Amino acid sequence: MFAQTPKPPYWAVIFTSQRSDVDADYARVADQMVELAARQPGFLGVESVRGADGFGITVSYWASEAAIAAWKAEGRHRLAQGAGYARWYTALFTRVACVTRDHAWTRG
Amino acid sequence: MFAQTPKPPYWAVIFTSQRSDVDADYARVADQMVELAARQPGFLGVESVRGADGFGITVSYWASEAAIAAWKAEGRHRLAQGAGYARWYTALFTRVACVTRDHAWTRG
């Protein structure tokens, strides 16, 4: 699903990850984190896809770098991050970026 | 697959799209575009996932905004963009962003 973001500039966190074969609690906590992120100040939206091979890309959008820092430090999110390292992922890459231009198009 | 990008800053094009039900030539041209992008000056890497529902995220990484502009204008890429609007996508969102920080982790 597309995120409906405001006019740039705004910020993006590009989170790419490879899932492990450990499924316990993953889907439940992943859903919780999306709900929790959506209640954070400065949250603008999220787009997420995971392929059948377990490689996934999640891009969350934020109003400021401060909003990203606050989300990174949020208590339940920190617990989930720990479980991610310990159990759910075999590798991950997080990139913080400032969106300077965008273009949206929908058919018809 | 993870892109092995250099130390920031570098640029990202976050391309999110919803596929139509038209498959003719799509996979072939999509593969060609990845190969062609990889030969462009300033190309740093690409990460791409599409879900079973047809929603996909492709993030390509570039050394500069000028490299992104040159890739946008490349002739065969422009033809593919046209076919994308005409046939392969029902909606898309392109965002250009400057990556200012990143963090990679691999288990073990």
Side-chain angles (χ1 to χ4, degrees):
Chain A
M1 190 161 28
F2 292 95
Q4 299 305 319
T5 42
K7 194 176 164 190
Y10 52 87
W11 289 78
V13 178
I14 305 163
F15 175 70
T16 51
S17 61
Q18 182 66 49
R19 284 274 286 112
S20 69
D21 54 6
V22 178
D23 284 334
D25 291 332
Y26 171 75
R28 181 179 61 80
V29 175
D31 288 348
Q32 281 179 353
M33 288 304 115
V34 170
E35 289 169 26
L36 188 59
R39 295 198 298 271
Q40 294 296 302
F43 176 85
L44 301 177
V46 62
E47 296 168 334
S48 190
V49 187
R50 191 168 301 280
D53 62 354
F55 183 76
I57 304 177
T58 296
V59 189
S60 59
Y61 300 101
W62 301 87
S64 66
E65 283 191 276
I68 293 170
W71 169 235
K72 184 180 178 184
E74 199 280 336
R76 283 164 292 178
H77 186 207
R78 287 187 68 98
L79 286 174
Q81 289 169 52
Y85 284 107
R87 297 208 303 265
W88 295 320
Y89 301 116
T90 59
L92 56 84
F93 214 130
T94 304
R95 295 174 173 98
V96 176
C98 184
V99 178
T100 58
R101 290 188 290 124
D102 66 9
H103 168 70
W105 170 81
T106 301
R107 184 181 301 277
Chain B
M1 189 161 27
F2 292 94
Q4 299 305 320
T5 41
K7 194 176 163 191
Y10 52 87
W11 289 79
V13 178
I14 305 164
F15 175 69
T16 51
S17 62
Q18 181 65 50
R19 284 274 286 112
S20 69
D21 54 6
V22 179
D23 284 334
D25 292 331
Y26 172 75
R28 182 178 61 81
V29 175
D31 289 348
Q32 282 179 353
M33 288 305 112
V34 170
E35 289 169 25
L36 187 59
R39 294 199 298 270
Q40 294 296 301
F43 176 84
L44 300 177
V46 62
E47 295 169 332
S48 189
V49 187
R50 190 168 303 280
D53 62 354
F55 183 75
I57 304 177
T58 297
V59 190
S60 59
Y61 300 100
W62 301 87
S64 66
E65 282 191 277
I68 293 170
W71 168 236
K72 184 180 178 184
E74 199 281 335
R76 282 164 292 180
H77 187 207
R78 286 187 67 100
L79 286 175
Q81 289 169 51
Y85 284 107
R87 297 208 302 264
W88 295 322
Y89 301 116
T90 60
L92 56 84
F93 214 129
T94 304
R95 294 173 174 98
V96 176
C98 184
V99 178
T100 57
R101 289 187 291 124
D102 65 12
H103 169 68
W105 169 80
T106 301
R107 182 181 302 278

